[in-house]
Amino acid sequence: MFTTRPELIGTFGAVTSTHWLATASGMSLLERGGNAFDAGIATAFVLQVVEPHLVGPGGEVPIVFYSKKTGRIEVLCGQGPTPAGATIEHYRSEGLTLVPGNGLLAAVIPGSFDAWMTLLRDHGTMSIRDVLEPAIYYAEHGHPLLQRISNTIAGLKDFFEKEWPTTAAIYVPNGAVPQARRLFRNEPLANTWKRVLKEAESAGPDRERQIEKAREAFYKGFVAEAIDRFARENAVIDQSGERHRGVINADDMAGWQASYEAPVALDYGDWRVNKIGPWGQGPVFLQTLSILKNFDLASMGPRSAEFVHTMTEAMKLAFADREAYYGDPAQVNVPLDALLSDAYGTERAKLIGHQASRDLRPGTVPGFEAQVERFMSSLDRLSKVGTASAANEPTTAEMRSARRGDTVHVDAIDRWGNMMAAMPSGGWFQSSPVIPELGFGLNTRAQMFWLEEGLPTSLAPGKRPRTTLTPTLAEKDGEPHMVFGTPGGDQQEQWQLQFFLRHVHHGLNLQEAIDTPMSHTGHFPSSFYPRERRPANLTIEESFGEEVLADLAARGHELERSPEWTIGRLVAASRDPDGLIHAAATPRLMQAYAAAR
């Protein structure tokens, strides 16, 4: 099969990410003797600099990884929860029926920095200076600005200058939109990381003491103080059309830290897929696999209408369950064992017919009947709260709303067999005003909560939002084998699933599976403000061909045709039992890159 670039194969190591400068930075740490975790952390910090419209230091990250040191696959939760002041009563008193998609009120505790420091302390080998210096370099000395970033800034120039002047000071310097392919700097961010580094190294030469000192600087020191002060002193315009102050404060920051937990996993033939828990949408992937066990996917062509239809209808069922059941398991009882059981998957599979469903159909788990009924009775009212405008977090096909961001992804594998997949997100420059002394803004992940009582995703203090972030680690024949992921909001699981199924059932290598045409559906409620859904929608690349598109339309799918090479931002890496390492990255958007040798 023709591919846009080769699948890379080597034995030393691999790094993949959504930007070539980040990938190269991570690979440089492998070359200097670091392991996969050192490389992945450095990659992630560079992504905060070179893709600031997709991720920032005020964001969050879930990480799924395998460590040779422990011999275990684990999840590191860098998803910050809501502040103590984030109550339904407070938001309702502000005249809101939905949590705004930008501004200050939607901020949860920034989680990514503590997660990266925890991973570095427990599984990395290099120093804070080693992992931060590439990001500091690009923030201080500049990086070639992507055209997409320049376009996003241009669309928001007037808004920034009028409403968010602290953001304009960095992203519209001297009233001018920064030009694409020219050097762009964020010196306040460089100074923030340099100050964190200085405070860390004041602890002396011990690596772990430096890491702890860095965590204190961020969560109990000058960073937390700046966040507290900015949220208290500034009422800023957000998507509600009104001005609101944030509820996050220094006590919220000081009282939280990243945590380890076991992955949620499902066996699928010779494979075992590991995902984060129901505080993300990871189990959707697993539920869909459980349903698809009941179909002969290998007999369906990887680009056939039957394959796309069957996979899409299975996804609709799994996403319906996401809406009815998923939430932070620390506060909500999520019946995952039942949802992932073979019996439940078999029953759900019976709902898939020749025609595309237009209904949202969550299943019923014994003991949860009232919860599902409450959700369904609320659905019409909840859906009317939003508008009929933009449908989802922007895909690579188009920027549906210039005020929304997306996500980035990092994979890393080293010669010793360590591997990790991470999905950093949040804190985009269009999500929340820049805190001037820090050079970055806050995330807006609380927009994923409902301001309705009694739902798994009802807003409450100290609760993790049910995010769309979902990295993947797959075992094969009992051994950790492959890490992969893609940005894309609600589309993340959908694009990853197509990649995985084509690799498993049709024998496509990593690059072939990534290059094959992609699709996704917006049939279920969006995770993002204003939370609308599009029944029977199927957004699909035209490169599937007219015969396939006509077949899918005849089955009742509401097609939204997308030009070829516009859907998905997948990257992936794998390691064989003999030590061969494979890596691949999407050609879409012409910026993701894999490095391996």
Side-chain angles (χ1 to χ4, degrees):
M1 174 180 171
F2 171 80
T3 57
T4 57
R5 55 185 76 176
E7 180 193 63
L8 305 180
I9 306 177
T11 57
F12 178 78
V15 178
T16 74
S17 84
T18 49
H19 195 291
W20 67 89
L21 291 178
T23 296
S25 298
M27 194 67 190
S28 73
L29 266 69
L30 287 183
E31 298 285 0
R32 290 162 51 193
N35 65 16
F37 308 115
D38 301 316
I41 295 165
T43 302
F45 278 113
V46 172
L47 287 171
Q48 294 174 2
V49 177
V50 299
E51 293 197 277
H53 62 316
L54 306 179
V55 67
E60 58 272 305
V61 62
I63 309 165
V64 57
F65 68 95
Y66 170 73
S67 172
K68 288 288 288 185
K69 182 170 70 173
T70 64
R72 295 195 303 269
I73 296 172
E74 296 181 89
V75 167
L76 182 53
C77 175
Q79 177 57 62
T82 51
T87 65
I88 290 177
E89 292 76 16
H90 174 70
Y91 285 55
R92 287 285 190 178
S93 73
E94 295 282 309
L96 297 170
T97 54
L98 284 175
V99 180
N102 64 3
L104 292 174
L105 201 52
V108 301
I109 297 168
S112 64
F113 185 77
D114 198 65
W116 294 127
M117 292 299 100
T118 300
L119 188 67
L120 182 65
R121 180 195 66 193
D122 297 342
H123 300 283
T125 64
M126 304 187 87
S127 70
I128 294 180
R129 178 172 291 278
D130 291 324
V131 300
L132 275 180
E133 276 191 330
I136 292 173
Y137 175 85
Y138 286 119
E140 183 174 23
H141 298 285
H143 59 91
L145 195 71
L146 295 169
Q147 183 67 60
R148 184 169 293 267
I149 300 177
S150 180
N151 293 345
T152 302
I153 296 171
L156 286 164
K157 176 180 180 292
D158 293 343
F159 175 80
F160 286 160
E161 291 180 325
K162 179 182 178 182
E163 302 291 352
W164 294 1
T166 58
T167 301
I170 292 177
Y171 291 99
V172 193
N174 301 314
V177 174
Q179 296 181 36
R181 303 175 67 86
R182 301 295 295 273
L183 287 179
F184 177 81
R185 298 172 177 84
N186 186 341
E187 293 185 32
L189 177 58
N191 292 335
T192 293
W193 290 140
K194 286 194 284 187
R195 181 172 174 183
V196 168
L197 186 56
K198 181 179 179 180
E199 294 196 19
E201 293 181 338
S202 71
D206 184 80
R207 194 179 76 95
E208 290 194 13
R209 288 183 181 176
Q210 288 186 5
I211 293 170
E212 292 307 311
K213 193 71 173 178
R215 295 170 76 189
E216 287 181 15
F218 197 98
Y219 289 92
K220 299 179 180 180
F222 78 97
V223 175
E225 292 167 1
I227 290 172
D228 180 304
R229 185 167 53 250
F230 192 84
R232 279 188 292 106
E233 295 179 355
N234 294 274
V236 305
I237 198 79
D238 57 40
Q239 283 182 288
S240 71
E242 303 294 333
R243 299 185 184 278
H244 298 104
R245 300 180 192 276
V247 296
I248 189 170
N249 61 40
D251 289 339
D252 296 316
M253 297 280 291
W256 180 84
Q257 61 184 21
S259 59
Y260 292 104
E261 59 187 58
V264 178
L266 182 86
D267 292 323
Y268 186 76
D270 297 334
W271 295 78
R272 183 174 178 84
V273 182
N274 296 271
K275 303 287 285 187
I276 68 172
W279 50 270
Q281 67 180 4
V284 167
F285 190 108
L286 307 182
Q287 278 196 247
T288 308
L289 288 181
S290 180
I291 294 169
L292 292 175
K293 286 180 181 179
N294 299 278
F295 297 88
D296 183 10
L297 295 181
S299 68
M300 305 176 190
R303 301 171 60 154
S304 67
E306 186 70 17
F307 174 81
V308 174
H309 171 78
T310 304
M311 180 193 61
T312 301
E313 294 303 298
M315 272 285 182
K316 289 179 184 178
L317 296 170
F319 274 105
D321 283 344
R322 181 191 76 170
E323 296 303 307
Y325 291 103
Y326 291 15
D328 183 354
Q331 295 198 22
V332 176
N333 183 14
V334 183
L336 269 187
D337 288 344
L339 293 173
L340 295 176
S341 68
D342 286 343
Y344 185 81
T346 298
E347 285 301 308
R348 299 290 274 161
K350 294 176 182 177
L351 296 175
I352 298 176
H354 181 76
Q355 290 297 114
S357 171
R358 301 190 64 85
D359 299 321
L360 194 69
R361 300 180 289 178
T364 302
V365 174
F368 288 80
E369 294 88 351
Q371 177 174 307
V372 175
E373 183 178 350
R374 184 165 58 247
F375 166 72
M376 293 303 292
S377 65
S378 300
L379 186 60
D380 287 342
R381 180 165 53 87
L382 292 173
S383 65
K384 292 173 184 176
V385 170
T387 69
S389 59
N392 295 302
E393 186 178 29
T395 68
T396 55
E398 61 180 319
M399 291 291 286
R400 297 185 181 277
S401 169
R403 295 184 189 178
R404 298 180 185 178
D406 200 333
T407 306
V408 298
H409 187 80
V410 179
D411 299 314
I413 299 178
D414 61 35
R415 60 191 183 276
W416 302 290
N418 298 299
M419 63 180 67
M420 58 160 281
M423 197 76 73
S425 188
W428 324 302
F429 66 66
Q430 64 272 42
S431 69
S432 187
V434 166
I435 300 169
E437 58 264 58
L438 299 180
F440 65 84
L442 299 175
N443 66 74
T444 54
R445 196 58 65 176
Q447 68 180 285
M448 296 184 168
F449 288 107
W450 291 106
L451 298 181
E452 305 281 337
E453 299 284 1
L455 300 175
T457 51
S458 297
L459 180 70
K463 191 175 187 179
R464 287 176 290 184
R466 196 273 301 144
T467 78
T468 57
L469 308 177
T470 176
T472 310
L473 191 156
E475 302 167 79
K476 187 178 183 184
D477 299 322
E479 296 293 329
H481 176 64
M482 183 165 65
V483 283
F484 56 97
T486 175
D490 291 316
Q491 290 80 46
Q492 288 181 24
E493 294 292 28
Q494 303 186 62
W495 299 336
Q496 289 186 64
L497 185 75
Q498 290 170 77
F499 160 81
F500 179 74
L501 294 175
R502 287 160 170 165
H503 181 63
V504 170
H505 289 294
H506 304 113
L508 276 62
N509 70 32
L510 302 187
Q511 194 64 52
E512 290 171 338
I514 286 174
D515 282 1
T516 305
M518 293 281 173
S519 65
H520 62 263
T521 178
H523 173 82
F524 43 85
S526 169
S527 297
F528 297 87
Y529 184 96
R531 312 300 299 273
E532 62 292 312
R533 64 179 287 253
R534 294 181 289 166
N537 160 261
L538 181 60
T539 301
I540 186 165
E541 287 184 319
E542 292 176 327
S543 43
F544 271 96
E546 291 301 324
E547 183 178 348
V548 170
L549 297 178
D551 189 331
L552 290 166
R555 294 170 187 258
H557 295 280
E558 298 282 349
L559 298 189
E560 181 178 336
R561 296 165 69 113
S562 185
E564 62 179 347
W565 307 116
T566 55
I567 293 180
R569 294 185 65 201
L570 282 152
V571 293
S574 65
R575 185 177 187 271
D576 298 334
D578 63 0
L580 279 179
I581 295 171
H582 307 250
T586 184
R588 296 163 173 93
L589 293 191
M590 298 298 290
Q591 65 187 65
Y593 232 81
R597 75 166 180 85

